[in-house]
Amino acid sequence: MPPIRDPLVLSLLILAPAIGVVAQEPGPTLHIVRTSRPPELQDFVSGAASPDRTDNSGAVAVNDFRQRDPGDGNPASAPTTAYVTYDDANLYVVFVCKDAPTLVRAALAKREETTADDAVAVYLDTFRDRKHAYLFLSNPLGVQADALVTEGQDDDYSFDGVWQADGRLTPDGYVVRFAIPFRNLRFPRAPAQTWGIALVRYIRRNNEESYWPYLTKRIAGLVPQFATLEGLRDISPGRNPQAIPYGAFTGARFLDMETPAFRTASDRRVGLDFKGVIRDALTLDATVNPDFSQVESDEPQVTINERFEVFFPEKRPFFIENAGYFQTPVNLFFSRRIADPGAGLRLTGKAGPWAVGAIGIDDRAPGQAVASEQARIGAVRLEREVGHESTVGMLASDRTLAGGANHVVSADTRLTLTKTWIFTGQAMATHTRDTSGAGSSGSGWYANLLHDGRNLDYSGTYLDLSPSFETQLGYVKRVGIREFEQVLELVRRPKGPVVKVGPTFTTLFDWDRDGRLLDRSLEASFEVKLRGETKLVLGREQAFELFADHPFDTYLTKLTLESEWLKWLAGTAKLRLGTAVNHKPPKGTAPYLGDAAKGELGLTFRPAPRLRLDHTFLYERLTTRPDASPPGAPLSPTRVFTDRILREKLNYQFTRALSLRAIVDYAMVNRDSTLSRVDRQHRWGVDLLLTYLVNPGTALYVGYRDGYENLAILPGSPPALYRTDDPTTSVGRQVFLKFSYLLQF
């Protein structure tokens, strides 16, 4: 298959706006009235509220919940009623959910750890733009989760709002009460509001999502199908000034790998984050000496034989809020590139049909290597609604350091062509100048055609990045390529315990700029999904890879099993068997093909509502093949390397605010030095964290970390590091204390 050339993609980007854009039919309208008596949880627990149109606070009731999954359009499997009203300060939603008490899944857990529980949720499209929405979710015990929803992007659960959720189990199910302050929402400045709204109930044992209004998978997108919420009058978030001062102390003893020597260090840091609202819809954030500490550790990943950079998600507080405002189809702003900022300013929100995101910040980390210079960083993102449910946007970013600079500009569009077809396109240009003044320019194109339906999903994606394309603030694995990927999924949804069955076909081709094939992947898989969030997937991949000018044909047979059938136990098992390329052979040895085995096992135990135990084991092995061994290798199969990673994690929730987390990590990499140059590592560590989280702005963290590795210092002038057999040397020990407090004026 020949590579796709630039004019085709350019034509798609130019002609796509001319294609007819289809609007969704309007959904039902919910008209609510202001209450003088906010609904209380006890009123519904005691049965004082009636399941008809209103309760005794004047809240309007809705009860026609219908499934989106697994039975599209079927009534919810358990009776559900929601009551909606508001006063000057809050929007109130109370869910009354009927069910057998022994079947309800609910645990007292940390904020946002609700994925295994039954839950109810409220979606609010406060600008009625049919693209953006707030999501507020609670499990039956009032454990919260919230997110920003943007059509065409993954839900952004890094958003943390300050709101109330109270839940209680009852003899015939459970009741949850939401109180969502208007001061934490952004919406148009108008005397009467028209919003979009959707209410949802999740019943995990049935794989069930039931919505009011009825949201079908026969139409692409979720937010465009929301009901219209009317009756909200004379409300405002106000200026809502907020300040979050924080203090942090860290004491550490660590092994300096360069000297090498053991050193001690301490860091005392105080800072302030400030937030204000401009004209009800825009949020201005300012920060001085911001809190960029990362409390939660990254999940383990196998990285020793990877060709390209592995993605680790952002977890630092300042960057994660409203991160979706800076997202583009190709990730051109990846905040983990900013390591140690000193001060920053950010503006995000909506202004009429425009969505706005702007950030200016510095980064002190490069100064450790470049004459104490600080990197200056800025990014602006604008997006405008076009017609119904379509957008056009642009992004510009700039990073300067010690006379060098990296400039990036991008234009993109997302067009709803029909009820099930969506087109996304992006054009990019970069210019980089190094410290000597030499410069280079690059360009990139992206196009995606998506069909999102109930029984057929299709995605076709084309990506073209020139060799000199460079985005120092983005996450782009590879440049100098033309890539074309297609995914086709056919789904049948039978009734009974099997809720989904069908095949998925995936093709991927990469070419260089001269049309030479670099990678090819052809994969077919078959999935059977049952109730209880249980699924079995069997797949086969045939691939081609050109690495270091050596061609390789590889294959993998894949098996995945996942289940949450039991309330107290969830498990995941993955197995990959086939062949793989040794990307890190010894110096002077060409890469070669080996037999590969990869495995992953994850188990989650919930022996009590407050206790959660997570076990994760990752395994990867590469052995030589008799027909492809490097020169001098034994003819019989020989281990090239073996990588094992084990993580044991315990969470205990004393109250909704107070929790203890303990992690023990163990990792070991063994290799044959005549066959691989990966580093022989043997390490383990412990990570303890005590958290008192009142709300996302008010929290106390006390933590301890200690890591051991198979390293020792060889005395001499200068001293040197060498590998030992056992991980007995502490290479990093740290104690930290962090406190923040939310001040609302």
Side-chain angles (χ1 to χ4, degrees):
M1 180 177 179
I4 301 173
R5 299 297 179 181
D6 289 354
L8 173 60
V9 183
L10 183 59
S11 299
L12 285 172
L13 289 170
I14 294 174
L15 295 177
I19 301 175
V21 177
V22 176
Q24 309 291 359
E25 296 179 1
T29 297
L30 177 65
H31 189 91
I32 62 175
V33 295
R34 189 187 301 262
T35 182
S36 59
R37 179 186 178 275
E40 299 294 337
L41 185 70
Q42 187 59 39
D43 296 340
F44 298 85
V45 172
S46 63
S50 61
D52 55 12
R53 295 306 302 160
T54 61
D55 76 321
N56 56 11
S57 69
V60 177
V62 294
N63 48 35
D64 186 21
F65 283 75
R66 293 189 173 271
Q67 296 180 32
R68 188 170 190 261
D69 228 1
D72 196 341
N74 294 341
S77 63
T80 307
T81 303
Y83 299 84
V84 187
T85 187
Y86 76 103
D87 61 15
D88 292 344
N90 301 296
L91 176 73
Y92 299 98
V93 182
V94 181
F95 288 87
V96 179
C97 302
K98 304 298 184 181
D99 209 342
T102 57
L103 298 179
V104 174
R105 299 190 178 190
L108 190 63
K110 292 176 61 178
R111 198 177 196 271
E112 297 190 345
E113 291 190 356
T114 61
T115 54
D117 293 342
D118 292 343
V120 290
V122 179
Y123 286 89
L124 296 174
D125 174 7
T126 56
F127 288 93
R128 201 56 173 132
D129 61 6
R130 295 175 173 82
K131 181 175 182 181
H132 301 89
Y134 294 94
L135 167 61
F136 300 94
L137 180 147
S138 172
N139 80 350
L141 298 180
V143 177
Q144 300 176 350
D146 45 22
L148 294 177
V149 177
T150 303
E151 289 294 328
Q153 300 178 10
D154 293 334
D155 293 349
D156 179 13
Y157 278 91
S158 63
F159 166 74
D160 288 318
V162 180
W163 53 286
Q164 294 180 355
D166 299 301
R168 189 177 304 175
L169 299 176
T170 65
D172 58 353
Y174 63 92
V175 176
V176 177
R177 173 187 178 270
F178 291 74
I180 303 171
F182 296 126
R183 67 183 301 166
N184 285 299
L185 303 177
R186 306 293 173 258
F187 45 84
R189 195 176 192 182
Q193 300 289 323
T194 300
W195 294 358
I197 187 172
L199 309 173
V200 57
R201 179 180 179 183
Y202 303 96
I203 304 176
R204 301 297 184 190
R205 68 181 184 275
N206 295 337
N207 298 28
E208 182 177 329
E209 299 179 12
S210 293
Y211 289 82
W212 183 92
Y214 167 44
L215 307 184
T216 177
K217 283 194 170 182
R218 295 180 176 89
I219 297 176
L222 201 69
V223 182
Q225 302 183 60
F226 286 2
T228 300
L229 178 64
E230 294 182 344
L232 294 167
R233 296 190 60 85
D234 301 322
I235 61 172
S236 170
R239 297 190 183 276
N240 192 22
Q242 300 178 14
I244 305 179
Y246 86 94
F249 167 79
T250 302
R253 176 186 182 273
F254 62 95
L255 176 61
D256 186 337
M257 301 288 187
E258 295 184 0
T259 307
F262 290 100
R263 303 190 183 280
T264 59
S266 63
D267 181 34
R268 298 172 179 83
R269 179 176 293 195
V270 294
L272 178 69
D273 292 341
F274 178 82
K275 184 188 302 290
V277 178
I278 302 173
R279 297 185 64 83
D280 293 357
L282 296 173
T283 302
L284 178 66
D285 293 277
T287 185
V288 178
N289 203 26
D291 174 18
F292 288 98
S293 59
Q294 179 176 313
V295 173
E296 291 296 337
S297 60
D298 292 314
E299 291 298 316
Q301 298 189 52
V302 175
T303 61
I304 64 169
N305 196 40
E306 293 295 324
R307 294 173 62 190
F308 308 113
E309 179 185 13
V310 176
F311 182 86
F312 287 94
E314 179 64 81
K315 293 186 177 182
R316 296 172 297 176
F318 180 82
F319 285 118
I320 58 180
E321 184 177 356
N322 291 337
Y325 280 91
F326 297 93
Q327 287 189 14
T328 56
V330 177
N331 191 349
L332 300 180
F333 185 77
F334 179 46
S335 56
R336 284 189 76 137
R337 302 293 187 214
I338 306 170
D340 185 21
L345 192 68
R346 183 182 63 226
L347 180 71
T348 54
K350 290 271 290 184
W354 293 92
V356 180
I359 186 171
I361 205 163
D362 64 358
D363 190 356
R364 295 172 291 194
Q368 301 173 9
V370 187
S372 299
E373 291 276 353
Q374 294 184 359
R376 305 294 181 180
I377 294 166
V380 176
R381 167 76 168 153
L382 297 175
E383 188 177 65
R384 194 186 194 284
E385 301 165 17
V386 177
H388 291 278
E389 305 158 27
S390 299
T391 60
V392 294
M394 61 81 62
L395 180 139
S397 69
D398 183 84
R399 182 182 186 272
T400 60
L401 173 66
N406 176 241
H407 311 288
V408 179
V409 293
S410 165
D412 61 273
T413 184
R414 186 177 191 270
L415 301 172
T416 302
L417 307 178
T418 71
K419 291 183 178 181
T420 56
W421 287 95
I422 296 172
F423 172 81
T424 303
Q426 185 175 2
M428 300 157 281
T430 69
H431 180 76
T432 303
R433 183 184 69 250
D434 62 24
T435 55
S436 68
S440 62
S441 298
S443 62
W445 305 94
Y446 171 92
N448 173 263
L449 186 63
L450 176 71
H451 179 275
D452 188 4
R454 176 164 172 77
N455 300 111
L456 185 150
D457 290 337
Y458 170 80
S459 175
T461 303
Y462 175 72
L463 177 65
D464 187 336
L465 299 176
S466 67
S468 54
F469 183 90
E470 182 178 359
T471 170
Q472 296 176 3
L473 295 175
Y475 180 79
V476 175
K477 286 186 176 183
R478 195 177 185 184
V479 298
I481 62 165
R482 292 186 171 101
E483 180 178 278
F484 183 54
E485 181 180 17
Q486 296 184 92
V487 180
L488 175 66
E489 182 180 8
L490 304 174
V491 178
R492 184 171 175 266
R493 302 178 186 273
K495 296 181 179 180
V498 178
V499 298
K500 177 182 176 182
V501 61
T504 299
F505 304 97
T506 303
T507 65
L508 174 68
F509 295 87
D510 287 330
W511 300 272
D512 65 14
R513 304 291 288 189
D514 297 323
R516 182 175 57 164
L517 182 65
L518 302 177
D519 297 281
R520 179 189 64 240
S521 173
L522 306 175
E523 182 175 356
S525 62
F526 194 84
E527 176 182 350
V528 178
K529 190 169 185 178
L530 296 85
R531 295 184 184 274
E533 296 294 342
T534 299
K535 71 176 181 180
L536 174 68
V537 183
L538 180 64
R540 173 78 174 193
E541 179 186 11
Q542 297 286 148
F544 167 83
E545 176 181 332
L546 185 67
F547 180 71
D549 290 327
H550 294 272
F552 297 96
D553 289 303
T554 65
Y555 71 89
L556 279 178
T557 300
K558 305 178 181 182
L559 177 66
T560 299
L561 176 63
E562 298 178 1
S563 180
E564 296 180 14
W565 193 274
L566 302 174
K567 291 173 60 174
W568 56 272
L569 176 64
T572 300
K574 297 180 180 180
L575 181 63
R576 309 285 187 267
L577 297 175
T579 57
V581 179
N582 182 6
H583 296 124
K584 297 180 180 179
K587 291 184 178 179
T589 302
Y592 55 90
L593 196 66
D595 288 322
K598 298 181 181 180
E600 178 180 338
L601 179 65
L603 293 173
T604 297
F605 294 95
R606 294 179 179 270
R610 299 174 184 267
L611 178 62
R612 172 172 170 164
L613 303 171
D614 293 286
H615 310 265
T616 303
F617 178 66
L618 307 179
Y619 178 85
E620 182 175 2
R621 183 191 68 212
L622 188 71
T623 57
T624 60
R625 296 167 56 90
D627 59 345
S629 298
L635 295 179
S636 59
T638 304
R639 182 195 64 194
V640 178
F641 66 79
T642 304
D643 187 10
R644 302 176 181 89
I645 299 176
L646 176 67
R647 166 170 284 199
E648 300 292 334
K649 183 177 179 180
L650 177 148
N651 276 288
Y652 189 82
Q653 201 75 24
F654 299 95
T655 66
R656 283 178 58 179
L658 181 63
S659 65
L660 174 67
R661 186 213 66 199
I663 296 175
V664 176
D665 284 317
Y666 177 86
M668 183 168 62
V669 178
N670 290 324
R671 58 96 170 96
D672 186 326
S673 60
T674 65
L675 299 173
S676 173
R677 69 174 189 273
V678 300
D679 200 12
R680 182 173 62 89
Q681 297 180 359
H682 194 181
R683 62 185 187 273
W684 71 277
V686 62
D687 187 335
L688 303 175
L689 179 66
L690 183 69
T691 301
Y692 186 71
L693 180 67
V694 179
N695 57 52
T698 301
L700 172 67
Y701 301 96
V702 181
Y704 172 80
R705 296 171 181 167
D706 198 359
Y708 291 81
E709 199 165 335
N710 60 327
L711 287 171
I713 298 177
L714 181 67
S717 183
L721 282 178
Y722 69 97
R723 290 286 180 183
T724 62
D725 293 330
D726 300 314
T728 57
T729 300
S730 175
V731 296
R733 182 176 298 156
Q734 182 186 78
V735 177
F736 66 90
L737 172 69
K738 173 183 167 184
F739 174 76
S740 63
Y741 190 81
L742 172 63
L743 300 171
Q744 293 183 305
F745 305 99

